[in-house]
Structures are given as structure tokens and as C-alpha cells.
């Protein structure tokens, strides 16, 4: 807070998230082209670890549901310029997409998880396209890029799906050894596409990358 007061910005949220990921055993590696500061990233979502990894390794902010639970968690998220949305508020989706567009224009990339929740790790959930309308509202220098978060063979182990938050956290914290994770920053998408085409293109790019990195046939069926 003192750094932000004196300089107007602070690198401490990124340092905090990076240190937290390291303490849990995560060893991230970022591959792909350099990240433009004005970028909307579209990522798969596997675990609460995603926040520590992406925030620490790339310095991104996040689009999050508005009910994060404990007030301390909410305060910590605020320090990294988290943008809150109510996914159930379909009537307000346009205003939320506009807010995401404005956030993507800031000096910090921002990540959107279009699955809307964490998945099991062995396949992608359907991508919701409504908030991707942000691409149509954003300034011309904003890039839209898919991001594939790859936990490798440990993906199903760390996946948070159909399990209470407490049980998942205790299980992950009790895990022995380190956890190598690759963050694939993929080529930017054509912003002139409509939101459904963007969602489809992002999902296909992420699915192909994850399948290729694991040397196996795709486990990510086409979205219906």
C-alpha cells in the first residue's frame, strides 16, 4: 500500500502470488510470444492454483465472480485489480463486457475464464461467449489471445471439480514434491470475429495445445 501511495503502482501483488505458488510447490514455465500490456487473455480453468500461477508468472489481473467468500480473499484480489462480474446477471452482460474492455485497456493484461468455473483437468468445459463481447468494445490496440494452462500428468490430480473447496485445498497442500506447470501464451485471435466465433477459436487453440503437449489424442471434445 505504501509503494502504491508513493509511486502510483505496485509490483507486490505479483511478487506475493509468485511466492505463494512457489511455496505450494508450483514451478511455472511461460512459453510463447511476449505479452502486450493491453491484452485480454482467454484461459482454461483447472484450479485455484491458476490465480497464483498466472498472476505471479505473467502479472495479469483477473475477471472473477463477485462472491469470493472470505473478506481477506476479496481484499487480496482487490490489490491485483480484479474485476468482478455476476455471471447469472444475463441482462447486465453487455455492461460487464464493456467493463472488461476498459480493464483490458489498462497497463495490465487481464484473464477471463470462459468456462465460468474450474474443470476436472482431463477435458474442457463449454466456453461461455457472452463476456467475450468485450473484444468488440475494446480499443484497437487491445489483443485477444488464448492461454493454455498445462499441468501435464497432474491435471486431474489438481483439478477442482465436484469437490469442496476445503477438501481440495487440503489435498493440494498435502501433495508431495513439486508441480511443473507450463503457461502457453498462444497467438492472438482475429478480433473482428463475433463472440461465439472467438469462443470457439480460443477453445480449439487451447484444446489442441494441451493435447499436443501431452502427446496424446485430444481429450477435449468439440463444444456443442
Amino acid at each position: 500500500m505504501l509503494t502504491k501511495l508513493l509511486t502510483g503502482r505496485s509490483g507486490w501483488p505479483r511478487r506475493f502470488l509468485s511466492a505463494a505458488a512457489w511455496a505450494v510447490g508450483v514451478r511455472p514455465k511461460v512459453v510463447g510470444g511476449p505479452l502486450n500490456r493491453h491484452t485480454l487473455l482467454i484461459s482454461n480453468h483447472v484450479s485455484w492454483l491458476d490465480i497464483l500461477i498466472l498472476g505471479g508468472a505473467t502479472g495479469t489481473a483477473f475477471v472473477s465472480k463477485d462472491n469470493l467468500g472470505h473478506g481477506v480473499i476479496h481484499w487480496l484480489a482487490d490489490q491485483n485489480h480484479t474485476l468482478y462480474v455476476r455471471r447469472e446477471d444475463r441482462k447486465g452482460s453487455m455492461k460487464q463486457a464493456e467493463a472488461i474492455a476498459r480493464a483490458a485497456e489498462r497497463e495490465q493484461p487481464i484473464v477471463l475464464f470462459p468456462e465460468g468455473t474450474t474443470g476436472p483437468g482431463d477435458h474442457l468445459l463449454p466456453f461461455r461467449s457472452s463476456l467475450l463481447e468485450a473484444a468488440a468494445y475494446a480499443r484497437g490496440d487491445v489483443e485477444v489471445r488464448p492461454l493454455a494452462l498445462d499441468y501435464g500428468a497432474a491435471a486431474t490430480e489438481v483439478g477442482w471439480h465436484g469437490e469442496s473447496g476445503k477438501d481440495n485445498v487440503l489435498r493440494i497442500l498435502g501433495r508431495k514434491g513439486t508441480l511443473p506447470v507450463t503457461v502457453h501464451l498462444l497467438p492472438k485471435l482475429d478480433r473482428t470475429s463475433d463472440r461465439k466465433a472467438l469462443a470457439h477459436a480460443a477453445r480449439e487453440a487451447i484444446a489442441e495445445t494441451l493435447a499436443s503437449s501431452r502427446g496424446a489424442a485430444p481429450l477435449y471434445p468439440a463444444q456443442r
Side-chain angles (χ1 to χ4, degrees), residues 41-51 53-54 62 111-127 145-152 155 158-159 181-186 202-207 209-211 213-214 220:
L41 292 162
I42 304 173
S43 176
N44 59 311
H45 200 11
V46 182
S47 167
W48 53 272
L49 291 173
D50 301 353
I51 307 301
I53 295 166
L54 296 180
F62 298 92
V111 176
L112 172 65
F113 298 114
E115 291 170 285
T117 185
T118 50
D122 62 351
H123 66 274
L124 298 176
L125 302 178
F127 277 22
R145 295 180 64 174
L147 184 155
L149 195 53
D150 186 8
Y151 287 89
V158 302
V181 180
T182 303
V183 178
H184 297 271
L185 296 174
L186 305 178
R203 192 174 188 275
E204 289 297 300
I206 293 169
T209 299
L210 293 176
S213 71
R214 298 174 190 183
Y220 302 88

Side-chain angles (χ1 to χ4, degrees), residues 29 40 44 47 55 62 73 80 84-85 89 92 94 109 111 114 123 138 150 163 167 169 174 190 202 212-213 222:
K29 177 177 69 172
L40 172 61
N44 59 311
S47 167
F62 298 92
I73 301 297
N80 194 45
Y84 303 100
V85 298
D89 182 16
M94 185 177 74
V111 176
H123 66 274
D150 186 8
E163 180 181 22
D167 288 345
V169 169
D190 179 5
S212 176
S213 71

Side-chain angles (χ1 to χ4, degrees), residues 17-65:
L17 293 169
S18 179
W22 187 269
V24 176
V26 175
R27 300 296 181 265
K29 177 177 69 172
V30 180
V31 298
L35 189 56
N36 185 339
R37 288 174 298 177
H38 308 300
T39 303
L40 172 61
L41 292 162
I42 304 173
S43 176
N44 59 311
H45 200 11
V46 182
S47 167
W48 53 272
L49 291 173
D50 301 353
I51 307 301
L52 308 183
I53 295 166
L54 296 180
T58 69
T60 61
F62 298 92
V63 178
S64 171
K65 62 183 181 180

Side-chain angles (χ1 to χ4, degrees), residues 39-41 62-64 83-85 87 93-106 110-112 130-135 137-138 142:
T39 303
L40 172 61
L41 292 162
F62 298 92
V63 178
S64 171
L83 177 66
Y84 303 100
V85 298
R87 290 186 178 274
S93 61
M94 185 177 74
K95 289 185 177 180
Q96 294 181 27
E98 291 175 342
I100 294 171
R102 301 291 80 80
E105 295 169 354
R106 299 184 309 209
I110 190 164
V111 176
L112 172 65
S130 58
L131 297 182
L132 291 181
E133 192 68 31
Y137 300 135
V142 173

